[in-house]
Amino acid sequence: MSIRTVNTRPFSDQKPGTSGLRKKVPVFRQPHYLENFVQSIFDSISAPHGATLVLGGDGRFYNRTAIQIILKMAAANGFGKVLVGRGGILSTPAASCVIRKHKAFGGLILSASHNPGGPDGDFGIKFNSGNGGPATESVTEAIFARSKIIEHYRFLDAGDVMLDRLGETTLGRMRVEVIDPVADYAELMEALFDFDAIRAALAGSFRIKFDAMHAVTGPYAREILVNRLGAPADSVMNAVPLEDFGGGHPDPNLTYAHDLVEIMYGADAPDFGAASDGDGDRNMILGRHFFVTPSDSLAVIAANATLVPGYRQGVAGIARSMPTSAAADRVAGALGIPCFETPTGWKFFGNLMDAGKVTLCGEESFGTSSSHVREKDGLWAVLFWLDILAVRKQPVETIVREHWAKYGRNFYSRYDYEALPTEAADGVMQHLRANFSSLTGKTFGPYTVQTCDDFSYTDPVDGSISKNQGIRILFSDGSRIIFRLSGTGTEGATLRVYLEAYEADVSRHHLDAQEALKELIEIALRISELQARTGRDQPTVIT
Ligand code: G1P
Ligand code: ZN
């Protein structure tokens, strides 16, 4: 076994986005491509000699190959120990949990989240720090800078590590411990939620359906929902993780989780339905014939937090990403706690949590979590809802309607225009930037524009400033239209339009969201000239 220094050449396209480096599998399979990026990470994070690293991924195509390469590089770069999930598996929230629990220096998570997998699908990698959360912007910038000048990487010539059996082996002088990917995470969930109450509900007539979408949460859901909480085995569907997610798009929304949606809107629907994404950090919550928007889910969780053992002491504060609806703000207002509005992307929540300013956080993009980890956490949200339902013993729909009656309803929808030519998408944003200042004071039907801006965020903890985070058109009644470009797409550009209308009047709460938002959608299209500039009449996905 010997350590080699391999000559390589820099790549110019390894700029990590909001969730690490994401590229098509064929890009990652180019000679030296993965190795260069991994070495750029190791060169940028100044891990002390002998440090511990956590390693795992969502099991998609190329996961196992990448794990073996990274293990050999970690050994050659002086790491003392790597904790790797059996089979190379760790959901993103479980990786965050393992990093924190074992006080690792950090971790490498292999995932492209909800993007399709397979030989022609997507692959991704990101570095999380010792707090269990995504690396800060300065670290990701350093990694990118390094990747553009790198000339060699270090590699240990050794045989592959057996990933399928628990226990410790060595690789050169580095220890490799294959861990149960579920155990630490399940133990944390048991510490937060009232498993007895949920078990009692499931022993009665309460029925659930969880769709793992052939992605990483299958084994987690089986262990927690079936083995520990006693749900019937068929409560978990699509539970076997597949390298290509069965050809599906493992994103838990009404479009892609259609199998589950059909069941939850069918005759004899269960009481509760949920789905998670490729790497287990997203969640969708459904009741019988009822969809809970992620923004509402965060607000309901916040309003009911003290019913749940891990949150009995109350919530320090809430954080939501800017495009997420202001439903949580109303709960925070009622509780007398702060609500922070951050740019899109999970990393902004980490600082607030590390500083103890925030307990709960969420994004409209089906991401919810708390300070128990530093990632969003799909199954955690599912368990939170199950605990609330077990205590309140009411249907999901009743709980949400009572919530609206108390706080008002924030009608919400997001329109995604995917795979646009970059110039067309940029053109829409430039047009908006050039014109938004002239909109202030203008009236469109019942809506009057109060202010417009390009969202900028100053981190209250470290003072860092993030500019140009999306165009906000704010109306005087609290309604909003937001335009922003996705930072996670791998094909062309994705333009997102977020629509929100606030409605205090209970007699209008029964309206369908698309109906309630109709006028705002028309205003958004008119102001942005989106259809003419992109040639698209319809969005790719509406959530
Ligand atoms: C999307 C979501 C964002 C989320 C990110 C990672 O990013 O909108 O909320 O944090 O995926 O899951 P976007 O493609 O919009 O940049
Ligand atoms: Zn994800």
Side-chain angles (χ1 to χ4, degrees), residues 500-519:
E500 174 180 2
Y502 179 68
E503 181 59 73
D505 181 357
V506 182
S507 73
R508 291 175 56 81
H509 286 174
H510 66 279
L511 287 180
D512 170 67
Q514 297 305 322
E515 189 59 34
L517 293 165
K518 217 165 132 209
E519 271 188 280

Side-chain angles (χ1 to χ4, degrees), residues 18-19 22 113-114 277 281-282 321 344-346 363-365 376 414 484-489 496 498:
T18 42
S19 313
R22 284 203 194 149
S113 189
H114 49 284
D277 73 330
D281 59 355
R282 295 185 172 196
S321 67
T344 298
W346 205 253
E363 292 190 283
E364 50 66 41
S365 52
K376 54 195 167 209
R414 182 176 106 182
R484 71 174 272 285
L485 293 180
S486 155
T488 61
R496 306 202 194 282
Y498 308 82

Side-chain angles (χ1 to χ4, degrees), residues 385-403:
W385 269 93
L386 289 177
D387 202 335
I388 293 170
L389 292 166
V391 175
R392 289 188 51 173
K393 300 183 168 58
Q394 290 168 300
V396 171
E397 178 168 354
T398 309
I399 288 175
V400 175
R401 291 200 183 279
E402 284 185 5
H403 185 94

